[in-house]
């Protein structure tokens, strides 16, 4: 009887949360585009009153949307707008350790603010650029479900320099992931398979939104070169099933490259319901992919960035992951500073 009363009470509480959140969202969007406050539409960070109004508005809508998603079960954890982890900051750049299941930015910055750019604005509003739609310039992208390091530029010139560094391969990104299955060898696995869009995705299939396939797939459209390396680090169990913690290195930055390449070699990423779709993936609280290290050499700005994020795939942070044996030591792959300082092009084959 008590269990039934408890269940009914939780259901009523969730229903109340949904009503409050939906009312808040309607209030925030009241009036449509034509009547939105001019201080928000013509925002200038130099105007202190406009900046205060913008921050209050974003906090209000953030909590309404987060409350809604938390109440209907779309999020397991309530993410605060001030929950921002800054790993590195200079006059030109800021490196953020992004939370998982959080978009980098959204199409509507004022009325759909559940994104990283909102968190950065609330913490660094004095560095916002009014000429940039999202207030800051993102030098690269990582997926909504992926956590880890992402580089933002404070100015247009810094963003241009970073873009050239990416083109000239002076930026190296290393990822950690937990993949299904065990590897037969301790040696790294090289995956050199071009990636293209799925034709069904181009046709507008909702289930295959942003779905990529390798060039050998019959539905592959416009494949482009993609090179990745997979290095087994630890062998163990995740939720009682065989899994391996791996280090992922990529030479090209195609959409979903690491997710597609690990899947095509028979070791999809744990929790990746798009490319794995195993029953066990739907029981995972997140996709186990993390941007672990970011290194960049920017000679024109006399700046070298070398950031390392905290490893989230340890038993202390995730009790579902139980490592059993070490296959390779990550310390072997740490010595990349020498290449950065020497001025050589930083590529995967230098490791």
């Amino acid at each position: 009887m008590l269990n039934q009363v408890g269940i009914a009470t939780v259901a009523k509480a969730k229903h109340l949360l949904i009503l409050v959140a939906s009312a808040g969202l309607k209030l925030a969007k009241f009036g449509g585009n034509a009547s939105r406050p001019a201080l928000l539409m013509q925002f200038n960070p130099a105007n202190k009153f406009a900046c205060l109004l913008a921050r209050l508005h974003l906090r209000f809508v953030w909590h309404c949307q987060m409350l809604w998603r938390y109440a209907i079960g779309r999020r397991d954890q309530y993410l605060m707008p001030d929950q921002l982890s800054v790993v590195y900051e200079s006059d030109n750049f800021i490196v953020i350790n992004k939370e998982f299941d959080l978009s980098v930015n959204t199409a509507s910055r004022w009325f759909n603010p559940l994104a990283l750019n909102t968190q950065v604005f609330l913490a660094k509003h004095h560095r916002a650029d009014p000429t940039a739609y999202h207030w800051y310039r993102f030098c690269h992208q990582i997926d909504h479900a992926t956590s880890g390091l992402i580089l933002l530029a404070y100015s247009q010139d810094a963003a241009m320099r970073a873009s050239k560094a990416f083109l000239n391969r002076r930026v190296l990104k290393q990822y950690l992931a937990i993949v299904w299955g065990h590897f037969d060898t301790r040696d790294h696995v090289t995956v050199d398979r071009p990636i293209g869009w799925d034709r069904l995705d181009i046709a507008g299939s909702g289930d295959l939104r942003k779905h990529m396939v390798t060039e050998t797939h019959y539905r592959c459209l416009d494949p482009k070169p993609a090179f990745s390396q997979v290095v087994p680090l630890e062998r163990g169990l995740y939720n009682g099933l065989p899994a391996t913690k791996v280090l992922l290195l990529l030479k090209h930055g195609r959409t979903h490259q690491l997710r597609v390449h690990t899947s095509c070699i028979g070791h999809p990423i744990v929790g990746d319901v798009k490319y794995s779709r195993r029953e066990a993936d739907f029981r995972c609280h997140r996709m186990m992919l993390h941007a672990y290290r970011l290194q960049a050499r920017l000679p024109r700005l006399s700046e070298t960035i070398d950031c390392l994020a905290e490893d989230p795939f340890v038993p202390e942070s995730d009790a579902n992951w139980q490592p059993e044996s070490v296959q390779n030591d990550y310390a072997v792959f740490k010595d990349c500073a020498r290449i950065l300082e020497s001025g050589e092009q930083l590529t995967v084959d230098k490791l």
Side-chain angles (χ1 to χ4, degrees), residues 238-257:
Y238 193 86
N239 278 337
L241 299 175
T244 304
K245 183 177 177 179
V246 297
L247 174 70
L248 301 173
L249 309 168
L250 69 165
K251 189 174 182 179
H252 306 90
R254 309 303 177 199
T255 302
H256 298 173
Q257 177 176 327

Side-chain angles (χ1 to χ4, degrees), residues 32-65:
N33 293 339
S35 62
R36 287 176 184 171
L39 285 175
L40 292 182
M41 296 301 101
Q42 300 175 358
F43 171 73
N44 184 358
N47 187 325
K48 293 184 178 180
F49 178 71
C51 192
L52 176 61
L53 177 63
R55 283 182 290 159
L56 290 174
H57 170 83
L58 289 172
R59 288 181 185 276
F60 175 71
V61 181
W62 175 288
H63 284 295
C64 288
Q65 291 190 342

Side-chain angles (χ1 to χ4, degrees), residues 57-101:
H57 170 83
L58 289 172
R59 288 181 185 276
F60 175 71
V61 181
W62 175 288
H63 284 295
C64 288
Q65 291 190 342
M66 186 61 66
L67 194 63
W68 170 276
R69 298 189 181 194
Y70 185 74
I72 64 177
R74 291 185 60 184
R75 287 195 67 95
D76 295 330
Q77 297 178 348
Y78 193 98
L79 182 64
M80 300 296 292
D82 299 316
Q83 197 172 328
L84 182 70
S85 176
V86 178
V87 180
Y88 171 88
E89 186 175 12
S90 66
D91 293 337
N92 301 306
F93 300 99
I94 182 171
V95 178
I96 305 295
N97 186 10
K98 185 183 83 70
E99 295 285 339
F100 65 91
D101 288 344

